[in-house]
């Protein structure tokens, strides 16, 4: 998978890709990340990428031209499956969306800033709009990092244990069951006995029941659809 990220703040985005699982995925050539500084596509000497709103109103708007130039240049080199715009009024990211995107070959992610982008970018260049929640960040970079993390860990081979992404919370619309490791008894705080029984079908049933009960208590909305 190849991800091209268009941003005015590449430095804000780099560190998540320089550590941990994302770094390993890049080093193993399972994913390529390329950053494009939108200012490199500005057409004036001030490297402007935004301007005031037509019709008046507070806040700057990101202009069509630099974004179009950057996306056109990328598209001239390869085909893209999606051009994603990170915006608080997009579809809220969930595991289903992350799963879908993890199956793509090439994607572009555009990070918004200021008030957002000129509507014509959304109408003519963007194929998917994604939010990471009902709150407003100062730019789309951190949201893009969240999206990339949720997607990249699903690419086969990225996680050490191939099955571990499948047992994550949300993968089957249920929260994950509780998990335990050594010691078996920590100052009287005990691990459920059943987990030492060696009875794997019984343990599996217990985990499913725990997952269901936790979901019913904490996130009943997940059981509705
Ligand atoms: N840009 C600003 N806020 C955002 C959010 N909540 N999700 C995605 N992009 C954003």
């Amino acid at each position: 998978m190849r991800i091209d990220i268009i941003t005015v703040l590449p430095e804000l985005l780099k560190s998540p890709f320089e550590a941990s699982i994302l770094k390993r995925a890049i080093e193993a050539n399972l994913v390529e990340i390329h950053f494009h500084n939108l200012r490199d596509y500005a057409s004036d000497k001030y490297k402007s990428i935004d301007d005031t709103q037509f019709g008046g109103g507070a806040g700057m708007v990101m202009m069509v031209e630099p974004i179009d130039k950057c996306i056109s240049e990328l598209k001239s080199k390869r085909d893209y499956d999606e051009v994603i715009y990170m915006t608080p009024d997009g579809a809220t990211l969930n595991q289903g969306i992350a799963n879908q995107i993890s199956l793509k070959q090439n994607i572009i992610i555009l990070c918004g800033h200021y008030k957002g982008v000129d509507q014509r970018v959304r109408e003519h260049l963007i194929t998917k709009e994604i939010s990471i929640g009902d709150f407003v960040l100062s730019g789309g970079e951190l949201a893009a990092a969240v999206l990339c993390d949720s997607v990249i860990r699903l690419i086969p081979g990225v996680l050490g244990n191939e099955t571990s992404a499948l047992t994550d919370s949300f993968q089957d619309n249920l929260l994950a069951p509780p998990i335990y490791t050594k010691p078996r008894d920590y100052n009287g705080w005990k691990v459920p006995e059943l987990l030492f029984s060696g009875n794997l079908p019984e343990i599996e049933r217990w985990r499913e029941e725990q997952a269901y009960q936790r979901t019913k208590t904490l996130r009943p909305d997940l059981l509705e659809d």
Side-chain angles (χ1 to χ4, degrees):
M1 177 180 216
R2 176 186 168 114
I3 306 178
D4 287 276
I5 304 180
I6 305 172
T7 167
V8 285
L9 283 173
E11 60 280 15
L12 182 59
L13 253 173
K14 290 203 166 140
S15 68
F17 300 98
E18 288 165 0
S20 166
I21 285 172
L22 300 191
K23 183 183 180 194
R24 268 200 285 131
I26 293 165
E27 286 172 353
N29 290 322
L30 294 167
V31 63
E32 273 179 48
I33 310 282
H34 299 268
F35 299 101
H36 306 278
N37 192 332
L38 196 54
R39 289 201 192 277
D40 296 342
Y41 297 84
S43 40
D44 65 356
K45 65 178 181 200
Y46 306 106
K47 301 216 169 284
S48 312
I49 47 93
D50 60 331
D51 211 325
T52 52
Q53 272 190 68
F54 281 135
M60 303 293 272
V61 179
M62 290 169 77
M63 295 187 290
V64 179
E65 189 179 354
I67 296 172
D68 184 35
K69 275 192 187 158
C70 182
I71 292 177
S72 299
E73 188 182 299
L74 288 170
K75 284 183 175 170
S76 73
K77 295 184 182 141
R78 64 195 69 77
D79 290 334
Y80 284 91
D81 304 299
E82 296 285 1
V83 182
I84 300 170
Y85 174 47
M86 301 311 301
T87 176
D89 54 0
T92 309
L93 179 62
N94 58 26
Q95 197 62 35
I97 295 176
N99 285 341
Q100 274 171 26
I101 296 175
S102 74
L103 301 172
K104 310 284 180 191
Q105 272 308 308
N106 300 319
I107 62 168
I108 294 173
I109 303 178
L110 171 65
C111 303
H113 256 266
Y114 319 106
K115 272 271 172 226
V117 296
D118 187 303
Q119 182 62 25
R120 291 167 291 183
V121 169
R122 301 173 76 157
E123 280 167 16
H124 300 284
L125 299 172
I126 299 299
T127 62
K128 214 182 222 358
E129 303 191 332
I130 298 180
S131 163
I132 62 160
D134 290 343
F135 45 83
V136 180
L137 301 166
S138 44
E141 283 74 14
L142 297 177
V146 167
L147 174 64
C148 288
D149 187 300
S150 71
V151 166
I152 291 169
R153 62 194 297 288
L154 296 172
I155 298 172
V158 168
L159 294 187
N161 176 354
E162 277 276 357
T163 63
S164 67
L166 297 175
T167 57
D168 285 344
S169 278
F170 303 113
Q171 207 53 264
D172 44 12
N173 250 4
L174 290 176
L175 303 184
I179 51 174
Y180 300 89
T181 187
K182 295 185 191 75
R184 185 168 173 157
D185 183 337
Y186 178 75
N187 297 339
W189 299 349
K190 294 199 174 72
V191 173
E193 268 312 309
L194 173 71
L195 296 177
F196 307 106
S197 66
N199 186 340
L200 298 184
E202 195 58 35
I203 291 173
E204 197 42 43
R205 251 193 310 280
W206 178 85
R207 287 184 171 146
E208 280 166 16
E209 178 60 19
Q210 290 285 321
Y212 176 75
Q213 288 303 336
R214 292 191 71 209
T215 310
K216 203 170 138 193
T217 310
L218 301 170
R219 291 294 307 276
D221 57 297
L222 291 176
L223 297 174
E224 277 158 25
D225 35 63

